[in-house]
Amino acid sequence: MKIKVLSRNPDDYTRETKYDIHKVQRNYNPTIHPLEAPREYARALNAVKLERVFAKPFIGSLDGHKDSIQCLVKHPKKLSIVVSGCCDGVVKLWNLPTRECMTTIQAHSGFVRGICFTPDSQSFITIGDDKTIKTWVIGDEYDYDEIAEASNTIINKTILTGITHSINKDLFATCGENVNIWDSTRAEPLKSFIWGVDTVHSVKFNPIETNILGSCASDRSIMFYDVREKEPMRKVILKMRSNTICWNPMEAFVFTAANEDESLHTFDMRNLKVEMCVHHGHVGAVIDVDYSPTGREFTSGSYDRTIRIFGADKFKSREVYHTKRMQRLTNIIWSLDNKYIICSSDEMNLRIWKSNASEKLGVLKRREKIALDYSEKLKSKFAYHPEIKKIQQHRHVPKYIHHTKNQKFLMIEAKKRREDNRRKYSKPGTVPYKSERRNYIVREDE
């Protein structure tokens, strides 16, 4: 009589410690798995369908302002705190996890035009239409009820429209009729940069090359300054006005400009004669832009009431967010943990979104993490198959955006057709081809 006994050696499948890699009992010989590719394709198709099923990016809203929100800034060290300022001069500090307002400050008598934190994160600076620059000390504690009066007030001669602080120096810059560099210990600016423009409406310090700052002006130009020099460095003039710029936090000379021509323009500061990339998708003027902490993506808010997420080197957006109640966007920021996007809009609300629409919030178990990683790998492997590509790229948008996008497409096609006809019936060489990356640039001045 024969008896077959299952014999297993625990050393073959047991880890010595919990930190060891799990042993996989599988033969990778392709002849044993003839249907591996069709099986993986079916799994990738299911994964991309489930991604769209679970894509629910909206988390919540913060209401409490009584007027349109004009500026929004994130805390440089605490993920849970953002500060917003509105058109009635009120500044609010928000706690994102609890979605509550921690304190309310009547900072200015007119619009709050800008807010920035100091490098030590112990205080923040606000500017307003009342021509004042005020410093507010908050400290490290979470009890902000005692913030009643500004610790320092500077009265400026002209109205200010923007402010930014150096990331590691005790210097901040303001803009208005010109760009001023300030030291927090002085009541007068250290230096002023003037380049023959009426109004400079946005200014940003470079987070890597901390002596460099860029600004957007009313003459459709983007100008650059070095705080060590006496004169501006250079500027590039585009066909339409740029509302703001944002520096890439990982590449020192790369920045993206949000423009009135319904697109975003990414430049390398060392070569302003040609753009690195032109990002399309919006059907209204782009109001604000902010990079993710990794520098690989950025998000933009537009006058068409949508939020879009772009890859830093992609001309099309990978995601578009919208709601029925959200009106025209005024500000947008990307949280420092790379997980959330916070936006402000005309109807006095702040909204919190997930940067990855289908991402599960909370702690993931090991098996969940492995399954999600496997799904992501499958989606990237079969990303260019027609069916999977169609499902992955399709997004529902409001009807007016869909119609406007179709009209815009027809206008662009008609323009190309006119150029082709002009080139066809003109003398060879008189109507040259012009790259789109050069088409939006008027000239560069130094």
Side-chain angles (χ1 to χ4, degrees):
M1 181 179 177
K2 291 184 177 180
I3 301 175
K4 293 183 178 180
V5 180
L6 293 175
S7 177
R8 294 178 180 173
N9 186 359
D11 294 337
D12 294 337
Y13 56 87
T14 306
R15 296 181 297 170
E16 293 183 3
T17 67
K18 64 179 181 179
Y19 301 106
D20 290 347
I21 300 174
H22 285 266
K23 297 180 181 180
V24 179
Q25 305 297 330
R26 182 185 173 190
N27 191 339
Y28 288 95
N29 187 356
T31 59
I32 303 176
H33 308 283
L35 300 176
E36 182 178 13
R39 189 184 304 117
E40 285 189 343
Y41 177 78
R43 289 174 179 172
L45 191 60
N46 290 335
V48 76
K49 287 179 180 178
L50 287 173
E51 181 189 18
R52 301 318 311 152
V53 168
F54 292 114
K56 296 178 180 179
F58 182 67
I59 297 175
S61 65
L62 310 174
D63 55 347
H65 279 292
K66 297 179 181 179
D67 207 337
S68 177
I69 299 172
Q70 189 71 16
C71 47
L72 181 66
V73 67
K74 56 195 171 188
H75 197 284
K77 293 184 180 179
K78 295 178 181 178
L79 298 175
S80 60
I81 297 177
V82 296
V83 182
S84 62
C86 68
C87 295
D88 59 0
V90 171
V91 172
K92 286 181 178 287
L93 276 74
W94 300 92
N95 189 335
L96 295 182
T98 61
R99 304 182 199 175
E100 294 178 352
C101 176
M102 295 186 293
T103 188
T104 301
I105 307 168
Q106 184 62 49
H108 298 275
S109 59
F111 282 31
V112 181
R113 292 294 181 180
I115 304 174
C116 69
F117 273 93
T118 56
D120 59 2
S121 71
Q122 300 293 314
S123 59
F124 64 89
I125 305 170
T126 62
I127 58 171
D129 280 355
D130 55 2
K131 303 181 183 179
T132 58
I133 305 171
K134 296 184 178 182
T135 304
W136 310 83
V137 178
I138 58 175
D140 288 326
E141 301 299 327
Y142 282 90
D143 185 14
Y144 299 111
D145 294 334
E146 298 180 358
I147 307 175
E149 294 184 0
S151 61
N152 185 28
T153 301
I154 301 172
I155 300 176
N156 197 47
K157 296 178 181 178
T158 59
I159 292 179
L160 302 172
T161 56
I163 186 170
T164 181
H165 208 294
S166 176
I167 198 169
N168 60 0
K169 296 180 179 179
D170 198 15
L171 295 176
F172 66 91
T174 60
C175 62
E177 291 185 359
N178 47 38
V179 174
N180 294 328
I181 307 299
W182 301 77
D183 190 324
S184 60
T185 59
R186 298 188 179 186
E188 294 291 333
L190 299 177
K191 62 179 67 176
S192 295
F193 295 109
I194 303 172
W195 201 344
V197 296
D198 292 335
T199 305
V200 181
H201 51 264
S202 176
V203 62
K204 293 286 179 70
F205 260 107
N206 192 319
I208 303 173
E209 294 290 337
T210 55
N211 292 310
I212 306 296
L213 66 154
S215 67
C216 301
S218 58
D219 65 343
R220 300 168 293 148
S221 65
I222 302 173
M223 298 183 288
F224 301 95
Y225 315 89
D226 191 328
V227 297
R228 298 165 294 187
E229 302 292 334
K230 295 181 179 180
E231 299 293 333
M233 296 167 56
R234 60 204 303 196
K235 71 176 178 179
V236 58
I237 300 177
L238 305 182
K239 287 186 175 180
M240 295 191 73
R241 194 186 85 159
S242 297
N243 288 312
T244 186
I245 66 169
C246 185
W247 296 95
N248 191 318
M250 291 296 170
E251 299 182 45
F253 300 105
V254 176
F255 67 93
T256 298
N259 203 276
E260 291 280 342
D261 62 3
E262 304 173 359
S263 57
L264 297 110
H265 306 271
T266 298
F267 287 89
D268 189 323
M269 197 185 93
R270 296 165 292 185
N271 182 18
L272 295 175
K273 295 180 180 178
V274 59
E275 301 180 33
M276 293 179 62
C277 188
V278 183
H279 311 273
H280 297 292
H282 286 292
V283 295
V286 187
I287 304 300
D288 200 10
V289 58
D290 192 27
Y291 266 93
S292 68
T294 61
R296 296 181 178 180
E297 292 182 317
F298 63 84
T299 179
S300 61
S302 171
Y303 213 63
D304 62 6
R305 296 179 280 180
T306 62
I307 297 168
R308 289 184 181 266
I309 301 175
F310 294 86
D313 56 348
K314 305 294 183 184
F315 70 95
K316 289 180 66 177
S317 62
R318 71 161 174 88
E319 200 66 75
V320 54
Y321 297 157
H322 57 87
T323 63
K324 289 182 179 180
R325 295 185 178 182
M326 185 167 68
Q327 298 303 309
R328 299 182 177 97
L329 275 295
T330 55
N331 297 94
I332 194 161
I333 55 176
W334 200 311
S335 67
L336 292 176
D337 60 351
N338 201 30
K339 287 184 176 293
Y340 306 103
I341 293 169
I342 302 103
C343 70
S344 64
S345 50
D346 273 349
E347 84 291 349
M348 304 172 285
N349 274 8
L350 300 176
R351 286 182 174 85
I352 308 170
W353 309 80
K354 290 188 284 188
S355 60
N356 186 359
S358 59
E359 183 181 12
K360 180 184 176 182
L361 298 179
V363 180
L364 292 177
K365 295 181 180 179
R366 178 183 166 274
R367 291 181 63 184
E368 285 181 312
K369 192 174 185 306
I370 291 174
L372 290 173
D373 292 343
Y374 180 55
S375 298
E376 289 296 325
K377 201 68 177 176
L378 288 177
K379 285 187 286 187
S380 63
K381 181 179 180 180
F382 295 96
Y384 295 100
H385 284 243
E387 191 173 2
I388 290 178
K389 185 178 180 180
K390 180 181 178 182
I391 297 171
Q392 200 163 23
Q393 291 186 350
H394 180 72
R395 296 292 183 273
H396 289 287
V397 294
K399 188 180 292 185
Y400 72 93
I401 292 180
H402 181 71
H403 291 330
T404 309
K405 191 174 181 180
N406 290 340
Q407 291 176 357
K408 188 177 177 182
F409 176 77
L410 292 176
M411 292 166 62
I412 292 172
E413 289 298 313
K415 184 178 178 181
K416 289 181 179 178
R417 194 161 53 247
R418 286 195 302 270
E419 286 185 0
D420 291 340
N421 290 337
R422 194 179 297 115
R423 191 175 291 113
K424 183 178 179 180
Y425 296 105
S426 299
K427 186 178 179 181
T430 57
V431 185
Y433 289 94
K434 195 170 185 180
S435 169
E436 188 187 22
R437 295 191 299 158
R438 298 177 184 270
N439 193 34
Y440 297 94
I441 300 171
V442 177
R443 71 175 188 272
E444 179 190 3
D445 295 337
E446 293 186 4

